[in-house]
Amino acid sequence: TIVSSLKEPLRSAGRAAAQFAEKSDQQLSRLEARALDIIRADSRTRELVASPETIGLTRTGAKYENNTFVTTFTLTAGDEPKAGEGALYSSDGVIRLLTIILLGTRIDVVSDP
């Protein structure tokens, strides 16, 4: 039957999609870790936050369009659970633009040229 002939291709496509999603999630996690290092090291961040090492990042969304991953996130800093938010634009595993609003101050970082 048609249904039985489609079962294996659909399973295979489902496995491929799951593998792509897992690989994408791992790549985004690495990029987010790099972004966090950049944010913590930035001199503007150091002016705003007494202990930049306490800054944390939580992904709120991710999409892929025009060969670019766009990841949105919230930032925490020390006791401040909503210290800011930001977006990370990356392609080919490289951060192209990192933009954040931290404690009301906008910071744009173009990195990994």
Side-chain angles (χ1 to χ4, degrees):
T1 67
I2 293 173
V3 171
S4 62
S5 67
L6 290 176
K7 281 185 180 178
E8 186 51 38
L10 287 173
R11 278 192 200 112
S12 181
R15 281 192 298 272
Q19 288 169 346
F20 175 78
E22 183 178 333
K23 183 179 176 190
S24 296
D25 186 60
Q26 290 170 353
Q27 181 179 17
L28 290 177
S29 293
R30 282 192 301 274
L31 288 166
E32 289 164 353
R34 172 82 179 113
L36 201 48
D37 289 343
I38 292 167
I39 291 167
R40 289 173 175 163
D42 193 278
S43 61
R44 296 164 291 185
T45 300
R46 295 185 165 283
E47 291 172 9
L48 295 169
V49 180
S51 300
E53 66 277 359
T54 66
I55 295 173
L57 180 152
T58 303
R59 186 183 317 155
T60 57
K63 61 184 175 180
Y64 186 76
E65 59 184 27
N66 299 325
N67 297 321
T68 302
F69 274 111
V70 180
T71 309
T72 54
F73 52 86
T74 58
L75 294 169
T76 58
D79 296 338
E80 184 61 50
K82 293 182 182 178
E85 60 190 13
L88 167 65
Y89 301 83
S90 62
S91 58
D92 302 322
V94 176
I95 296 172
R96 302 296 178 188
L97 175 65
L98 172 62
T99 181
I100 65 170
I101 298 174
L102 180 62
L103 301 173
T105 300
R106 182 180 173 124
I107 299 173
D108 292 333
V109 179
V110 179
S111 69
D112 296 340

